[in-house]
Each structure stands twice: as structure tokens, then as C-alpha cells.
Amino acid sequence: MTRRSMSGMRESLARERIEPMRMHPTGMNRIGTAGWSLPAKPKAEGTHLYHYARTLNCAEINSTFYRPHRATTWAKWAAETPAHFRFSIKAPKAITHEAKLREAKTLLHGFFDQIKPIEHKQGPILFQLPPSLAFDATLAEDFFTTLRALYKGETALSHATPHGLPKKPMYSSGSTQSPVWQPIRPRHPPKQPFPEVTLR
């Protein structure tokens, strides 16, 4: 290794030590899984979620994609987790796969009313789009304008892309405090990947 390459390596390492790691807008980096089932039933008292939340600080709720939950269920999940814990909640398929984002105001209202009991521990809302949904600029603007009128928090958009994970939000409401991130992970290739769009 030459002196020049060694010097470049030292400078790179110095920059890594100086430059702070980019934090998520919520103020902390979070690690969690989809769901919270454990490989074996805990020996100590408490549910799977109770023990899961003592190790990881967030979880994705997938079941809302298929069906709504009672207010008592949301309250129970909130009570079993520490104050700093957050839930990423998947939007119903009625919005993404059946309505395909069209005229979704009533559906969005119903969804946000349903999750109110856990809103103090609510993380990003995940919209998982079907692979067959091609990009439509007018539809995207209409949907996200409606969404932002009802909900100011963080949103994640999951849609397949042949190029892997982009470095920027796919959609943005114009606020760095509540961006719309895309995607969580690549899925089946769509007919036409959604390009990067900024909604103002």
C-alpha cells in the first residue's frame, strides 16, 4: 500500500469519526421486525410483545392490511410496550389494492379513526402498493394531497423497484419533518416504477 493510499484511508476514517450518523426524523434509529412472534414462548410472565419490546424498539403491524382491530386491542398493545416504542402500521388493502389509491378519503378517515388508541406510539404508516399499479402523476398528487390533509406524520411507501433502494424520498410533502419514504424493500417488479415526485 502506498503512502498516498494510506493517507487517503486515514482521512476517510477521520471523516467517519467526525461526521455524525444521519438520524431518522423521529430522533433515533430504530430496529424492529414485521410482527413480534418469538421462536418460543417466554418462560417469564408477559406476552410475546411485552418481551419483544424489551429488546427491540419498534415493530411493523401487518394485520391491519387485512382487517381492522378493536380499540381494546390497540390499547392493549400500547400498554405492553415502553414509552419510547413505536409501531409502523400497514394501511388496509382496501386502500392500496382494491381502491388503488383512488377516491380514498373515506377509507383513510376510517383507518386513522381506527388507530387513534395507539397514536401516541405510532410510527410511519406503510402503504404497500400492488406490483401492477403503474405510476400516474395525477392519481399520486390527488392521493397524497388527501393524505396530508388528514395526516401529518411519517409515511412509508413500499413499491417494487429494479434499482434497489433509492437514496431520497420518493414523495415529499414539502416538509422535512414528515417525509414520505420509499421503499421499505423491493418486491415484484411493477409495470412501471414510480419515479421521484415532490408534492407541494
Side-chain angles (χ1 to χ4, degrees), residues 36 60-69 74 77 90 92:
W36 49 79
E60 178 186 325
I61 299 177
N62 285 301
S63 54
T64 44
F65 181 75
Y66 302 100
R67 63 187 184 279
H69 295 298
W74 292 110
W77 288 343
K90 185 176 288 187

Side-chain angles (χ1 to χ4, degrees), residues 156-195:
L157 183 68
S158 179
H159 195 272
T161 168
H163 305 297
L165 302 178
K167 296 180 180 179
K168 299 179 180 179
M170 178 196 271
Y171 292 97
S172 174
S173 63
S175 169
T176 58
Q177 299 303 314
S178 55
V180 181
W181 298 97
Q182 184 279 339
I184 296 299
R185 53 186 173 273
R187 295 182 183 274
H188 307 291
K191 290 182 178 178
Q192 179 182 352
F194 274 40

Side-chain angles (χ1 to χ4, degrees), residues 48-119:
H48 283 233
L49 176 58
Y50 175 88
H51 292 282
Y52 171 100
R54 269 63 191 172
T55 301
L56 301 177
N57 57 12
C58 66
E60 178 186 325
I61 299 177
N62 285 301
S63 54
T64 44
F65 181 75
Y66 302 100
R67 63 187 184 279
H69 295 298
R70 297 177 180 177
T72 52
T73 299
W74 292 110
K76 180 174 179 288
W77 288 343
E80 291 178 343
T81 52
H84 66 272
F85 194 88
R86 292 294 179 270
F87 293 93
S88 176
I89 307 171
K90 185 176 288 187
K93 65 178 181 178
I95 296 173
T96 56
H97 288 59
E98 295 171 12
K100 295 186 176 180
L101 309 184
R102 299 181 185 280
E103 300 178 359
K105 185 174 182 178
T106 299
L107 293 171
L108 286 168
H109 259 301
F111 173 60
F112 289 125
D113 282 345
Q114 179 207 156
I115 63 178
K116 278 184 178 179
I118 208 168
E119 63 183 356

